[in-house]
Structure formats: structure tokens, C-alpha cells
Amino acid sequence: MTFPAEVQIPTQDLFRLDGRSIFISGGAGAVGTTIGKAILESGGDAVFSDMVSSPDPDTWKSLEDTATKNGTKAWYHQLDITDAESVPKVFDDIRKELRFPFRGLVACAGISGECDACDYPIDVFRKIVDVNLTGTFLITQAVAKEMHAAEVTGSMVLIASMSGLVANKGINTAPYNASKSAIHQLTRSLAAEWGHPQNTFPGRTPGDANPNPNEERKPYPPIRVNSVSPGHIETPITGAAKQRGLVSQWEKQNMLGRISQAEEYRAPILFLLAPGSSFMTGADLRVDGGHCAW
């Protein structure tokens, strides 16, 4: 199903998200709340989700105030994105609240852990991959189903990392790096599958994943899928890294001589969510201060 180019949008509206609901996983974290506020300021309603039962009260009050000021809405739902049975149930509850269909996703949820590879506990390795990769897939799957049901176009932004492109010097985080590299490939694969019916061969190979191989696929409006690869970000959890002297080392490893702030990802992510990036899909937007170009 081909949709025409969005060429009639006024320039001042290229970053607007009016009439859209945007889902944010990892929505209680520093990046998730910062991006969510930007979405609310740009005309979009925002659904925040995270593992904690409720977000920080002061932060949530600020988000509600932002929504009121801009005529938008904000909701919070506790959600374990790795729980395949819980995700659809939470979306059943969310669907009853929305004013507008989901037209966007920002997949921020992710964890890391530092350990030498020979000593890495396999259960921790699996947890990192489960959250960062499997959880991201489950949430993209759930949001895509909502977009398909509403028959609307949409845009997804998966938070990858420069660590999916390079091995970070001096810190041993093999499972995190591998999981973020997988996000780059997941982005490309979903962008291909959800961009246009011509991108998928007719028919299906019978197997455990295809119990109905002869079922005809229905064409849907396109969903764009892109990733953002941040560099090092200053958040509340970087305190330990500062004490070890890691932050000062990170600052030397990029071209701008400092690490980033969460606010610096607002414009790149809004760009990918909004109509201004209408011909962009399957791409990675690297925002790393030049770290990978050194």
C-alpha cells in the first residue's frame, strides 16, 4: 500500500505530532521522560511505560503540567516489556484511554552491565539480551498491531547505541554491545517488512512460526522504523562512572570533548517521529559527538 509523499505540510509543522498517540517504553528513565515531554510539547499524546509501579512524583507532575499547557494528554502504565503475556493485556487497557490511535513508538527501555567476558554470568547475559532485544521486539510488535488495526501510518524510533557499531574502549560490556547491534538489524528488518507489501515474498514456508502458511497477507499503511544511536549520556546512573574516572575518559573519546545530555536527543527523535522525516526508514541516526567518526 503506497502512500503519497507528504509535500503539502507547512514547514513549521514538520516536527508537529498533533492527533497522534506515541508510546514510550523505558518512560520513567531520564531519556524517556525527557523525550516524552518533548512529544507533549509538540502536540502528541504520550503513553509512558516502565517496570516501576509509578514514575517519580515530581517528574510526573512536570509532565502533567506540560500536557495541560499544550492541550495534550499523558498516561503511565507499569509494564514488563519482556512478558509476552502481559503486553497485550496492558495495551487492552491503554486502548480505552486514548484520544488518538498510536502513530509512534520510542523504544527507550534497556539495561547494561559490565563484566569481563570469561566471568559473565549467563543469566545476566540472557537478561540483558531479553530486555534490550526481545523486549524491544515485543513492544514494536504490539504497537504495530495497534497501527494495523487502526489502519494508520506510523513511525517507530528504536534506541540503539554507538555500542552497536563499535566496541567501547576500556569497558567490557559484550552482551550490551551485541544486543544494541541487534537493534540495528531489527530496525532494518522491520522497516523492510512494514514499509510496503512488495518487500515480502508471496507465500510462507510452513513451520512452527507459520501454522497457516496459506493465509493471505493484508496490506497495511506503511510504518517507518528507524533507530537512534546515542553516545555517552549524562544521567543519574553515571555517578559511579564519574567516580571511576570513566566520564573524563569518555569525554576524550569524541570530537566535542564532552558527554551528551538527555535533552540533546529531543530533536533527533522528534524528527524521526514526525512528518519531516517522511522518506526515511531503515536508517540509523548516530548522535555520538563524533565518537565513531574519530
Side-chain angles (χ1 to χ4, degrees), residues 47 89 114-115 138 155 163 211 216 267:
V47 178
K89 296 176 183 177
E114 180 189 3
C115 183
L138 286 172
S155 178
S163 303
E216 186 176 353

Side-chain angles (χ1 to χ4, degrees), residues 7-240:
V7 295
Q8 303 301 325
I9 300 171
T11 301
Q12 66 267 24
D13 294 337
L14 289 177
F15 278 58
R16 296 293 302 177
L17 298 171
D18 302 273
R20 304 166 187 239
S21 294
I22 312 294
F23 190 92
I24 308 162
S25 67
V31 175
T33 54
T34 300
I35 299 306
K37 183 178 180 181
I39 289 168
L40 294 168
E41 291 174 331
S42 300
D45 288 353
V47 178
F48 298 78
S49 78
D50 216 314
M51 288 285 291
V52 296
S53 59
S54 60
D56 174 76
D58 292 337
T59 301
W60 188 247
K61 175 65 165 54
S62 175
L63 290 170
E64 288 185 319
D65 289 346
T66 299
T68 299
K69 181 179 179 181
N70 290 276
T72 51
K73 294 283 187 181
W75 298 272
Y76 181 84
H77 285 266
Q78 184 179 20
L79 176 63
D80 177 358
I81 62 170
T82 68
D83 188 341
E85 294 184 1
S86 294
V87 172
K89 296 176 183 177
V90 172
F91 272 79
D92 286 341
D93 293 334
I94 293 171
R95 200 177 303 118
K96 301 170 187 175
E97 302 172 334
L98 299 182
R99 301 190 299 171
F100 311 112
F102 278 118
R103 297 280 305 280
L105 163 68
V106 184
C108 289
I111 59 174
S112 186
E114 180 189 3
C115 183
D116 295 352
C118 285
D119 301 321
Y120 226 113
I122 194 61
D123 57 332
V124 178
F125 190 107
R126 287 183 174 133
K127 182 178 180 180
I128 291 171
V129 173
D130 199 30
V131 172
N132 295 0
L133 178 56
T134 308
T136 297
F137 173 72
L138 286 172
I139 211 67
T140 59
Q141 184 184 61
V143 174
K145 287 180 178 179
E146 296 296 314
M147 294 177 183
H148 286 169
E151 295 192 335
V152 295
T153 60
S155 178
M156 298 185 177
V157 182
L158 312 188
I159 304 302
S161 173
M162 67 177 187
S163 303
L165 299 165
V166 297
N168 300 127
K169 183 179 180 180
I171 187 165
N172 299 330
T173 53
Y176 177 80
N177 299 355
S179 70
K180 289 302 183 178
S181 183
I183 293 299
H184 290 139
Q185 183 61 7
L186 181 65
T187 295
R188 292 186 286 265
S189 300
L190 297 181
E193 184 172 336
W194 294 338
H196 195 282
Q198 71 182 8
N199 301 332
T200 298
F201 291 118
R204 310 183 193 195
T205 302
D208 292 341
N210 282 318
N212 301 305
N214 297 320
E215 183 178 356
E216 186 176 353
R217 290 187 180 91
K218 180 181 177 181
Y220 294 103
I223 300 172
R224 298 186 296 110
V225 188
N226 295 288
S227 61
V228 169
S229 287
H232 296 295
I233 309 174
E234 183 163 1
T235 67
I237 63 174
T238 57

